[in-house]
Amino acid sequence: MAHRPKRTFRQRAADSSDSDGAEESPAEPGAPRELPVPGSAEEEPPSGGGRAQVAGLPHRVRGPRGRGRVWASSRRATKAAPRADEGSESRTLDVSTDEEDKIHHSSEISRNEETSEESQEDEKQDTWEQQQMRKAVKIIEERDIDLSCGNGSSKVKKFDTSISFPPVNLEIIKKQLNTRLTLLQETHRSHLREYEKYVQDVKSSKSTIQNLESSSNQALNCKFYKSMKIYVENLIDCLNEKIINIQEIESSMHALLLKQAMTFMKRRQDELKHESTYLQQLSRKDETSTSGNFSVDEKTQWILEEIESRRTKRRQARVLSGNCNHQEGTSSDDELPSAEMIDFQKSQGDILQKQKKVFEEVQDDFCNIQNILLKFQQWREKFPDSYYEAFISLCIPKLLNPLIRVQLIDWNPLKLESTGLKEMPWFKSVEEFMDSSVEDSKKESSSDKKVLSAIINKTIIPRLTDFVEFLWDPLSTSQTTSLITHCRVILEEHSTCENEVSKSRQDLLKSIVSRMKKAVEDDVFIPLYPKSAVENKTSPHSKFQERQFWSGLKLFRNILLWNGLLTDDTLQELGLGKLLNRYLIIALLNATPGPDVVKKCNQVAACLPEKWFENSAMRTSIPQLENFIQFLLQSAHKLSRSEFRDEVEEIILILVKIKALNQAESFIGEHHLDHLKSLIKED
């Protein structure tokens, strides 16, 4: 057993004392030595968890001033010692501790006894230090094992030597290694395949990037498509914002025109009612008494005066214009009082001012139809495939709809001076757009040629239908003529672009027929008076009857003006069946045969469409004219026995014109009018 130098140990212990021991004076010669305590501050424990364990070892004894701390340290050492070693070493530690206590106690009583026993105590001290060092090293090693194994498992499993393992030979080990090697090789091959794929993808991406960078056209193409996308989105946003304002202006204009049309219609019906009532009362008065005053209520009197005042003004206007062949009753009677006309013009001007402000702040590229179509024309010229694949021709009519409607707010197809559709800016722009598409020979049958037809179908015809249903007066020749002019342009243009009949066109034609039927039922009134009341051509009854006949004949003419737009069956049923046979012929039968009757018959025949009689093989006229033919023959019989023989020849000419040749020959032969046979042969 190695003995360490006595004074060196003490000096080290004294040097490493803490603050409590620092106040003690250096040991004097002959003084009792302090016992060394393992685990002092100078002795460094092993790295790791051993540092905490060493700290738990008892500190050295410092004398009476540090007795409490020494005791506390001894208790900590006493508690730690059994965990390290539970054998004889524990007992030795306890004995050493007791001895240490006795030594301290004896040193307090007599320092002389400590000197005598110094050599024996040194041996015991050395033995005790060695035991404590062994315990400390063992505790530190176990602590390191616990900490190293604590990362993987919360418990340290001790190896049980009693467990037996199966026998292991080289073949088993080799087999397991080969299996493991196979799995690793497969994994490696899988990683190689993924790596090769990624390498190929990288190469492909680099190649694509190089192609895009080297191809300026593709970059420009992408830029063009992006700009078109942004442009169309902005255009749609603009139109969506403006459409509500457009609808409000349209409604205001429609309401203004409707109010004016209803004013004319109601005035005509009221005036007809009051004038007819007045003449009936006048007839009853003439029948009952030839003397006495005939009173008229103030309202009727005022209406009659208004009617006569407007007629006088129209006569004066016709005289100034040189129109002397006008027949009373054929005027439209659509004059407004000056005050009402001023109000109408002011309201119309306010609406048109709102129309001009709709796109006032909008750029031309978003409100000018020509500029918009140029955008799409550029697309069609640069990238025709994508243009046609996107079905742009179906989108253009919808995009242009609000812009065209703005231009149509001031358009009135019932006025002769209204602008024709083909003269409108939007019509010309669309035609130019369609004509430019013909240059693409591969798209000869492209749907761009149907753009105009689609616009007419979805925008123009519905607006025209509204005019027909609510504003058109079939009794007005000027309105009917203007409406027919626009309808011919629209329907003929529409039919050249589409073979099938569209629903909007059918709705328009149905509206025209329905409106004329209503006019026949509501506005045609030809009264029948006794011959005594109408013999005098200047009598109020005769004048009223004449005006109503010519008014009915005017409607008859206006109906037949639709020849070519409406079917022959529709016109014959409406014009001949409902109007000529029910009203006009009855009025003619009630009239006295003479030049006036022949003149009226000539006017009726002049209204009939010539294409109805174009067949040279016809010897008999159409069935709906049978009543008219019989009336002509009756009138010819009566006139042949009177002084009006020249009128008979005119009647024969009417029969020849309407292809009633068999009836004309029979009449000529029956009355021996051989000089009139040449009229039939010439035909």
Side-chain angles (χ1 to χ4, degrees):
M1 180 182 297
H3 295 278
R4 52 188 172 81
K6 179 172 57 175
R7 297 308 298 173
T8 304
F9 173 77
R10 289 184 179 274
Q11 183 65 34
R12 186 171 61 248
D15 294 340
S16 61
S17 62
D18 56 9
S19 61
D20 295 332
E23 296 177 359
E24 298 179 358
S25 59
E28 296 179 358
R33 293 182 301 170
E34 293 183 357
L35 296 178
V37 179
S40 61
E42 184 182 356
E43 295 172 357
E44 292 293 331
S47 63
R51 181 173 300 177
Q53 195 68 22
V54 172
L57 296 178
H59 297 280
R60 68 181 180 276
V61 180
R62 297 180 181 174
R65 294 182 61 186
R67 185 175 181 83
R69 294 179 64 185
V70 169
W71 173 82
S73 300
S74 299
R75 289 179 59 188
R76 288 196 293 273
T78 304
K79 292 179 181 179
R83 291 198 302 269
D85 190 2
E86 297 179 357
S88 59
E89 295 177 357
S90 176
R91 291 192 295 271
T92 305
L93 178 61
D94 295 337
V95 173
S96 301
T97 307
D98 295 338
E99 291 295 333
E100 182 181 357
D101 293 336
K102 292 178 181 179
I103 292 170
H104 282 284
H105 180 69
S106 60
S107 63
E108 293 290 337
I109 299 173
S110 175
R111 294 180 181 273
N112 295 325
E113 293 179 0
E114 179 182 2
T115 304
S116 64
E117 295 176 356
E118 184 178 3
S119 60
Q120 184 181 359
E121 194 67 31
D122 287 340
E123 293 178 359
K124 291 181 180 180
Q125 181 68 26
D126 293 338
T127 303
W128 182 83
E129 287 180 357
Q130 292 176 2
Q131 290 175 353
Q132 294 300 318
M133 292 297 293
R134 286 196 298 268
K135 292 178 183 179
V137 172
K138 186 176 181 180
I139 291 172
I140 292 171
E141 291 177 352
E142 290 180 355
R143 185 69 175 179
D144 291 339
I145 294 173
D146 291 340
L147 292 174
S148 63
C149 296
N151 297 330
S153 174
S154 61
K155 294 183 179 180
V156 178
K157 296 183 179 180
K158 295 183 178 180
F159 179 74
D160 191 357
T161 57
S162 63
I163 299 175
S164 61
F165 291 93
V168 178
N169 53 33
L170 293 176
E171 292 297 330
I172 295 176
I173 296 174
K174 182 179 180 180
K175 182 178 180 181
Q176 291 179 351
L177 291 175
N178 288 334
T179 303
R180 179 63 176 166
L181 179 61
T182 303
L183 293 175
L184 292 175
Q185 289 175 347
E186 291 179 356
T187 304
H188 178 65
R189 286 192 293 270
S190 176
H191 290 169
L192 285 178
R193 288 193 296 270
E194 292 182 2
Y195 173 76
E196 292 175 355
K197 179 179 178 298
Y198 294 149
V199 170
Q200 188 64 30
D201 291 343
V202 171
K203 290 181 180 180
S204 177
S205 299
K206 290 181 179 179
S207 177
T208 302
I209 292 173
Q210 291 177 357
N211 291 335
L212 291 176
E213 291 177 350
S214 61
S215 177
S216 59
N217 291 334
Q218 293 184 1
L220 293 175
N221 296 351
C222 181
K223 183 178 180 181
F224 175 80
Y225 284 126
K226 185 177 181 180
S227 64
M228 281 299 299
K229 178 179 179 295
I230 296 174
Y231 172 76
V232 173
E233 289 176 350
N234 293 333
L235 176 61
I236 293 174
D237 291 342
C238 174
L239 297 179
N240 287 336
E241 181 180 341
K242 298 296 183 180
I243 189 64
I244 297 177
N245 191 17
I246 294 173
Q247 291 174 348
E248 292 177 353
I249 297 175
E250 283 181 332
S251 299
S252 300
M253 181 63 77
H254 181 79
L256 181 64
L257 297 177
L258 180 62
K259 180 181 178 181
Q260 185 187 55
M262 296 302 296
T263 299
F264 291 146
M265 185 178 299
K266 186 176 183 302
R267 187 180 70 182
R268 181 172 63 226
Q269 293 177 351
D270 290 345
E271 290 177 353
L272 178 63
K273 178 181 178 181
H274 283 85
E275 190 171 6
S276 175
T277 302
Y278 166 74
L279 293 176
Q280 289 177 357
Q281 294 175 355
L282 187 61
S283 297
R284 287 195 296 270
K285 180 257 180 185
D286 292 341
E287 293 176 358
T288 55
S289 175
T290 57
S291 62
N293 296 326
F294 176 67
S295 62
V296 182
D297 61 277
E298 294 182 359
K299 183 177 181 180
T300 301
Q301 184 66 33
W302 179 82
I303 290 176
L304 295 177
E305 291 177 356
E306 285 292 321
I307 295 173
E308 189 60 31
S309 174
R310 294 198 303 274
R311 288 173 184 163
T312 301
K313 291 180 180 179
R314 289 196 293 270
R315 292 190 193 101
Q316 294 175 354
R318 287 194 296 269
V319 171
L320 294 176
S321 62
N323 184 11
C324 301
N325 297 324
H326 180 79
Q327 294 292 334
E328 292 285 345
T330 58
S331 299
S332 297
D333 194 13
D334 53 1
E335 299 89 354
L336 280 175
S338 58
E340 294 182 10
M341 180 60 68
I342 292 173
D343 292 340
F344 175 82
Q345 292 175 350
K346 182 179 182 302
S347 300
Q348 189 178 39
D350 294 340
I351 294 173
L352 296 180
Q353 286 297 322
K354 294 180 181 179
Q355 174 203 14
K356 295 178 181 179
K357 295 180 180 179
V358 173
F359 293 104
E360 188 176 26
E361 80 286 4
V362 180
Q363 298 179 11
D364 288 342
D365 287 343
F366 299 96
C367 64
N368 187 287
I369 294 178
Q370 185 175 10
N371 292 1
I372 294 173
L373 291 177
L374 284 176
K375 293 280 187 180
F376 290 100
Q377 184 175 343
Q378 292 174 0
W379 184 0
R380 184 177 60 193
E381 293 174 353
K382 291 182 178 180
F383 313 105
D385 293 336
S386 63
Y387 173 85
Y388 290 108
E389 289 173 0
F391 298 99
I392 300 301
S393 60
L394 300 179
C395 303
I396 290 178
K398 296 180 181 179
L399 289 175
L400 301 184
N401 177 271
L403 302 172
I404 295 175
R405 287 165 61 181
V406 170
Q407 296 187 23
L408 295 178
I409 289 176
D410 191 29
W411 181 61
N412 189 343
L414 302 180
K415 291 185 176 181
L416 291 174
E417 64 273 13
S418 62
T419 305
L421 289 177
K422 291 187 176 182
E423 284 71 37
M424 291 186 176
W426 69 265
F427 195 97
K428 296 179 180 179
S429 299
V430 173
E431 276 192 329
E432 292 176 359
F433 176 78
M434 292 172 55
D435 294 339
S436 63
S437 67
V438 179
E439 297 176 0
D440 191 354
S441 58
K442 294 186 295 184
K443 301 293 181 181
E444 191 66 27
S445 59
S446 103
S447 55
D448 281 350
K449 294 184 177 180
K450 299 180 181 179
V451 170
L452 181 59
S453 175
I455 292 174
I456 291 175
N457 188 24
K458 297 181 181 298
T459 304
I460 307 303
I461 292 182
R463 181 168 178 82
L464 204 59
T465 303
D466 290 340
F467 273 94
V468 171
E469 290 181 353
F470 303 105
L471 305 176
W472 175 42
D473 180 13
L475 281 172
S476 173
T477 301
S478 60
Q479 291 187 14
T480 303
T481 303
S482 178
L483 182 63
I484 289 174
T485 301
H486 292 294
C487 285
R488 288 191 187 279
V489 173
I490 291 173
L491 297 179
E492 289 175 359
E493 185 71 29
H494 187 64
S495 62
T496 57
C497 296
E498 287 190 8
N499 294 327
E500 59 182 10
V501 179
S502 66
K503 182 180 182 300
S504 59
R505 180 182 179 182
Q506 291 178 345
D507 293 341
L508 174 61
L509 297 178
K510 288 179 181 178
S511 300
I512 293 171
V513 174
S514 176
R515 184 65 187 91
M516 290 191 295
K517 285 182 179 179
K518 189 175 185 300
V520 171
E521 295 171 357
D522 297 344
D523 297 327
V524 177
F525 174 69
I526 304 177
L528 299 178
Y529 297 115
K531 290 186 177 182
S532 59
V534 296
E535 284 179 348
N536 184 5
K537 298 300 181 181
T538 60
S539 66
H541 299 82
S542 178
K543 291 181 178 180
F544 181 70
Q545 188 182 60
E546 284 292 303
R547 286 195 298 270
Q548 291 305 114
F549 175 85
W550 287 106
S551 177
L553 184 60
K554 179 183 179 181
L555 179 60
F556 179 74
R557 182 188 302 109
N558 293 343
I559 291 175
L560 296 182
L561 287 176
W562 290 96
N563 173 46
L565 295 175
L566 299 177
T567 62
D568 292 343
D569 293 339
T570 300
L571 293 177
Q572 290 173 7
E573 177 186 0
L574 186 59
L576 303 183
K578 293 184 179 295
L579 184 52
L580 177 63
N581 293 331
R582 291 185 184 181
Y583 293 98
L584 300 181
I585 290 181
I586 293 176
L588 291 173
L589 290 172
N590 193 50
T592 301
D596 291 339
V597 172
V598 175
K599 179 181 179 180
K600 294 176 181 178
C601 291
N602 268 321
Q603 291 296 320
V604 170
C607 296
L608 300 174
E610 295 182 357
K611 73 169 191 174
W612 289 358
F613 314 105
E614 289 179 351
N615 188 359
S616 58
M618 286 181 61
R619 302 291 298 178
T620 304
S621 186
I622 56 180
Q624 288 85 350
L625 290 176
E626 184 63 28
N627 292 335
F628 182 58
I629 293 172
Q630 292 301 322
F631 172 74
L632 290 175
L633 293 175
Q634 293 176 11
S635 300
H637 280 291
K638 294 178 180 180
L639 293 175
S640 63
R641 296 191 294 268
S642 65
E643 67 275 10
F644 302 107
R645 293 181 178 271
D646 294 338
E647 279 69 18
V648 174
E649 182 175 351
E650 293 185 16
I651 292 175
I652 298 298
L653 290 175
I654 295 174
L655 292 172
V656 171
K657 180 180 180 179
I658 62 177
K659 293 295 183 180
L661 301 181
N662 292 336
Q663 292 88 338
E665 289 180 353
S666 298
F667 179 81
I668 291 173
E670 181 181 354
H671 292 81
H672 305 288
L673 302 175
D674 297 337
H675 62 284
L676 298 179
K677 290 183 180 181
S678 59
L679 299 176
I680 301 176
K681 292 180 180 179
E682 289 178 1
D683 182 76

